[in-house]
Amino acid sequence: MLLTINIGNSSLRFGLFNNNYNLKCECDCSWIINSNPHRSLDEYILLFRNIYQQYGILSKLIQNIVIGSVVPPLTNIVEQSLYEIHKIKPMVVDRYSASPIKHYSHQLGTDLYANAIAAYTLYHNKKNTLVVDFGTALSLTCIDKYGTLQGVIIAPGVNSSLSALIGNTAQLSQIELKRPPSILGQYTETCIQSGIIYGYISMVEGLINRINKELKTNCFVIATGGLSHIYTPLTKKIHLKDKLHTIKGLKILFHWNR
């Protein structure tokens, strides 16, 4: 089995795959934990062992591990924790790892790189593929059918914007991130929900329209990230939702670099 870990600013996403390379990238098991830079090595080891027990995972069946990370302080301790459990040195991939992707950026995050290679590998029959990642940041990554990265858009993430608004506004309790009953709110909570939900989906639709206009074609759009399930049903511009898209990209990167 291959264990993939995507280390983000807000969470760590894990995926367990059959080691065999296949374009379907079917994930046998996936789970997510909050990113916490203050956990010790022993705490991570105990946490990972408990998760294995919870999901009925036999650690001896995991033969390879791949890590993609945009949080360098967490990379080392997660890598050490997994080594202590499995006695396997994880492969840490980044934008310099081998792949068929052609890009010219020295600042491309590993998560964006993984999104791009998964889009190209799994949907290369499309003219252009656009991955909208509703993560800590909102990102849109576009790649063409030849494997050339067309470019990326990065905007503040949904939760970051909501936290900033609530944190700087007096007398506001925690706002639940959900679709309000109407566009125009009647109470402070529903007013903010409308701005965050409909405001963000309007921005995403607007950016998709501008990208399609610039490329003179309609992109095949995939939504991923922790909040993709909230926004995907609100628009016809998104054609597919796959919360595991990024870790599928890490699996593909592993096979390119093994």
Side-chain angles (χ1 to χ4, degrees), residues 69-229:
S69 175
V70 295
V71 191
L74 273 180
T75 308
N76 188 50
I77 193 166
V78 171
E79 187 178 2
Q80 288 182 54
S81 303
L82 293 168
Y83 181 80
E84 289 298 321
I85 296 172
H86 299 283
K87 303 306 178 187
I88 297 169
K89 182 173 175 55
M91 177 191 293
V92 180
V93 295
D94 57 25
R95 62 180 174 272
Y96 301 111
S97 300
S99 85
I101 300 300
K102 296 179 280 293
H103 70 92
Y104 310 98
S105 172
H106 298 294
Q107 299 178 330
L108 189 65
T110 305
D111 53 346
L112 302 180
Y113 192 32
N115 281 342
I117 192 171
Y120 171 69
T121 304
L122 301 175
Y123 309 101
H124 61 273
N125 58 325
K126 309 294 182 182
K127 188 170 292 187
N128 288 286
T129 305
L130 180 65
V131 182
V132 183
D133 193 333
F134 292 91
T136 304
L138 174 71
S139 65
L140 292 85
T141 305
C142 187
I143 190 165
D144 68 15
K145 65 179 181 179
Y146 304 108
T148 301
L149 185 71
Q150 297 295 299
V152 177
I153 297 172
I154 299 176
V158 175
N159 277 328
S160 301
S161 296
L162 181 58
S163 297
L165 176 62
I166 293 173
N168 294 316
T169 306
Q171 297 181 333
L172 276 186
S173 59
Q174 184 67 37
I175 304 295
E176 185 181 359
L177 190 59
K178 68 176 185 179
R179 180 179 180 177
S182 61
I183 294 288
L184 294 173
Q186 298 296 325
Y187 304 96
T188 303
E189 181 177 12
T190 55
C191 294
I192 292 175
Q193 286 171 338
S194 184
I196 292 294
I197 298 296
Y198 293 116
Y200 261 85
I201 197 61
S202 296
M203 176 170 67
V204 168
E205 289 179 329
L207 290 172
I208 292 172
N209 287 337
R210 287 176 179 271
I211 291 168
N212 287 341
K213 183 177 180 181
E214 183 168 288
L215 298 178
K216 297 181 175 58
T217 187
N218 290 325
C219 294
F220 179 72
V221 183
I222 304 160
T224 192
L227 299 177
S228 57
H229 66 284

Side-chain angles (χ1 to χ4, degrees), residues 233-252:
L234 302 178
T235 178
K236 293 181 179 180
K237 295 289 183 180
I238 296 173
H239 304 111
L240 176 68
K241 177 179 71 70
D242 184 1
K243 67 179 181 180
L244 303 181
H245 182 84
T246 308
I247 62 169
K248 289 177 181 178
L250 294 179
K251 178 185 188 292
I252 295 166

